[in-house]
Amino acid sequence: MNILIPIIVLGVMGAAFGILLGVAAKAFRVKKDERIDQIGELLAGANCGGCGYPGCGGFAEALCQGVANITDCPSTKPENREKIGEILGVQVGESVPMVAMVMCSGTCSNVVLNHHYEGINDCVAAARYGGSDKACPYGCIGFGSCADVCQFGAITIENDIAVIDRDKCVACGACVNICPHHVIKLVEKKQRTFVKCVSKDKGAALKNICSAGCIGCKICEKNCPKDAIHVVDNVASIDYEKCVNCGICASKCPKKIIDFTKIDGTKPYVKTEE
Amino acid sequence: MKLLAELVLLSLTTILANNYVLVKFLGICPFLGVSKKVGTAVGMSVAVTFVMTVASVVTYFVQMLLVHFNIEYMQTVAFILVIAVLVQVVEMAIQKFSPALYGALGIYLPLITTNCAVLGVALLNVQESFDFVHTLVYSFSAGLSFMLAIVLFAGVRERLETADVPKALQGFPIALVTAGLLALAFLGFSGMKF
């Protein structure tokens, strides 16, 4: 008889819990938005995090709730954007095409190598100890942490400096976030003039460690017809609201560190090796 | 006042000297599995603390039921059943009533269903024949001790990510070595007299 008691007690407990779970499942059912899965399939699917949400799934959910805008995602194809707009029933606005740019010209031939770093080949780790072999504490470290995080294979390391393939770049911003020296910036794709230096060192000090650094001479500032370029913290910076891509600053720059591309794709003022 | 002092003592002993993960070696699986980032470690340990406390309260009454029928030997089976059901119900309820909390804890809750630390607390409560208040404090402190261990460990592991680890030790081996060192450090607390 004794064996019956535990069987009955646990049996009753199990049955009661079973019923409880069944009831709870009904009472607590949450309706899931069908559109989330549909939109998820149309998104780029790279989970790059450029939109600020945890992956494409999170972004799809935010879209359905109406808190996000499809233009927040730089990597979705235009035709898919329209389809998503149809699902959501909203008009899709045009987004400004952006691209990531490496604001440094410190290739191994330009910058002085004044110490020997023997740690892990990782920019974030190297930045903790004062960077790679390069003397400049502001520029591209060149271990390619940005290339590692790029989901689109747009970044390569050439001559110890990151080079971004403008056609592959979707401006997700992953490299911008990982770069410990904040050398990579997102710029509008139609922009063709860039100051390729971020060093805050004074001209005299900078001259000794890098031949391709902004010395803050203000020649660009004086020659700009639109008052769009100014030297701030010993480095020239362009106000893209005003810049008209005339290329005058690039032609006047004595160090030839202002990168200017003509509409036909040629670069008239590239620094030549002496 | 005496009770309060006793409860604080119980809590401190559980968190430090009898740390659930590093001294009692319970809940090792989530300790190693969910400790790669501090953020997820915090989420997981909050969920564990929550489930531990609720499970102990419920098993306290289940134990009374078992004693009533003289079938205490069915304790383990009954407790596992209770905890599994409890986690399921809690998960559903959170999903319904607090989507924000579900977003933070949701993915960890199913992991806790068969967590030995949760079952361990329920069983130890009975073994130590705690009354209701002691049960509550003990199980909550057990959750905190889990939190302390896993968050500390996650912090160390985040740093290990960029450390230059010999090839043979990369990944789990170095994590286990670290866990061992952490456990050694906590062994120091057992010499303290509270």
Side-chain angles (χ1 to χ4, degrees):
Chain A
M1 264 320 268
N2 272 345
I3 198 167
L4 279 179
I5 296 173
I7 292 176
I8 292 168
V9 172
L10 282 180
V12 170
M13 265 172 72
F17 286 143
I19 293 167
L20 179 74
L21 274 182
V23 173
K26 275 231 162 114
F28 296 143
R29 176 173 298 153
V30 179
K31 260 195 184 168
K32 205 184 170 219
D33 204 330
E34 288 173 2
R35 298 177 303 173
I36 294 177
D37 289 335
Q38 295 173 359
I39 292 175
E41 278 172 26
L42 290 172
L43 290 173
N47 290 319
C48 63
C51 53
Y53 291 93
C56 294
F59 184 57
E61 218 177 303
L63 280 175
C64 290
Q65 286 164 1
V67 291
N69 194 326
I70 181 62
T71 48
D72 293 345
C73 175
S75 32
T76 301
K77 293 190 190 106
E79 63 261 31
N80 281 358
R81 280 188 183 184
E82 276 168 28
K83 281 184 200 161
I84 293 171
E86 277 169 27
I87 294 173
L88 290 170
V90 293
Q91 203 66 37
V92 180
E94 269 301 302
S95 69
V96 184
M98 304 283 275
V99 72
M101 279 292 284
V102 179
M103 298 298 182
C104 176
S105 325
T107 54
C108 47
S109 55
N110 285 336
V111 71
V112 173
L113 308 177
N114 70 343
H115 61 284
H116 193 59
Y117 173 79
E118 250 190 31
I120 317 149
N121 271 353
D122 179 87
C123 300
V124 181
R128 285 192 180 148
Y129 303 104
S132 60
D133 297 356
K134 297 177 182 175
C136 178
Y138 300 98
C140 176
I141 295 171
F143 286 138
S145 284
C146 48
D148 294 340
V149 293
C150 184
Q151 301 284 334
F152 306 93
I155 306 181
T156 46
I157 301 295
E158 288 168 24
N159 289 330
D160 273 349
I161 200 164
V163 178
I164 294 176
D165 183 335
R166 289 172 72 98
D167 296 328
K168 285 184 185 166
C169 178
V170 298
C172 67
C175 52
V176 178
N177 293 332
I178 193 93
C179 180
H181 281 178
H182 310 293
V183 174
I184 307 180
K185 299 215 164 73
L186 280 186
V187 293
E188 282 183 28
K189 215 164 190 170
K190 65 174 197 283
Q191 277 303 331
R192 284 176 286 113
T193 317
F194 307 102
V195 178
K196 289 212 145 197
C197 180
V198 288
S199 171
K200 293 188 170 100
D201 274 350
K202 287 220 165 70
L206 185 63
K207 259 185 195 167
N208 295 330
I209 57 172
C210 183
S211 63
C214 176
I215 52 173
C217 63
K218 301 200 179 181
I219 291 179
C220 51
E221 199 175 308
K222 284 165 197 152
N223 283 288
C224 180
K226 298 283 177 188
D227 190 35
I229 188 162
H230 294 279
V231 174
V232 183
D233 282 341
N234 300 314
V235 58
S237 74
I238 299 175
D239 180 354
Y240 289 117
E241 299 275 304
K242 293 179 183 165
C243 178
V244 292
N245 291 307
C246 62
I248 291 176
C249 52
S251 69
K252 299 286 181 189
C253 179
K255 305 296 283 185
K256 298 281 170 259
I257 55 125
I258 300 181
D259 182 82
F260 174 68
T261 316
K262 277 186 166 177
I263 290 181
D264 58 19
T266 54
K267 297 191 177 204
Y269 310 117
V270 179
K271 188 189 171 201
T272 45
E273 299 287 332
E274 286 127 36
Chain B
M1 202 55 212
K2 205 184 157 208
L3 178 70
L4 188 68
E6 196 186 311
L7 290 178
V8 170
L9 204 65
L10 176 68
S11 174
L12 270 181
T13 320
T14 314
I15 294 173
L16 296 176
N18 286 330
N19 189 292
Y20 255 74
V21 179
L22 296 171
V23 177
K24 282 199 201 298
F25 303 120
L26 289 168
I28 296 292
C29 168
F31 177 66
L32 291 171
V34 204
S35 59
K36 279 206 170 137
K37 287 212 169 82
V38 172
T40 50
V42 171
M44 179 70 184
S45 48
V46 170
V48 167
T49 311
F50 179 69
V51 170
M52 264 184 184
T53 316
V54 179
S56 303
V57 171
V58 176
T59 50
Y60 182 77
F61 293 109
V62 172
Q63 176 67 15
M64 280 163 72
L65 184 80
L66 295 179
V67 172
H68 181 76
F69 286 106
N70 256 330
I71 47 168
E72 289 99 324
Y73 56 86
M74 295 303 282
Q75 207 183 38
T76 314
V77 181
F79 281 10
I80 291 178
L81 184 67
V82 169
I83 293 169
V85 171
L86 187 75
V87 172
Q88 293 273 311
V89 174
V90 165
E91 190 190 350
M92 283 191 262
I94 291 181
Q95 193 173 10
K96 173 83 179 177
F97 295 115
S98 171
L101 190 64
Y102 182 77
L105 301 184
I107 44 169
Y108 307 114
L109 282 171
L111 291 175
I112 303 167
T113 317
T114 45
N115 186 333
C116 63
V118 177
L119 183 65
V121 174
L123 291 173
L124 281 169
N125 274 328
V126 175
Q127 219 174 69
E128 306 270 339
S129 49
F130 283 142
D131 62 17
F132 187 72
V133 179
H134 280 77
T135 299
L136 208 61
V137 172
Y138 182 73
S139 44
F140 184 66
S141 314
L144 289 185
S145 79
F146 179 84
M147 182 184 288
L148 177 70
I150 195 169
V151 172
L152 278 180
F153 189 52
V156 175
R157 277 186 84 172
E158 272 191 0
R159 295 221 140 196
L160 276 178
E161 285 282 304
T162 49
D164 195 9
V165 180
K167 204 175 177 194
L169 287 176
Q170 270 167 16
F172 256 105
I174 193 70
L176 287 171
V177 171
T178 317
L181 289 174
L182 214 54
L184 266 181
F186 268 73
L187 211 58
F189 285 117
S190 61
M192 283 166 80
K193 288 267 188 296
F194 286 112

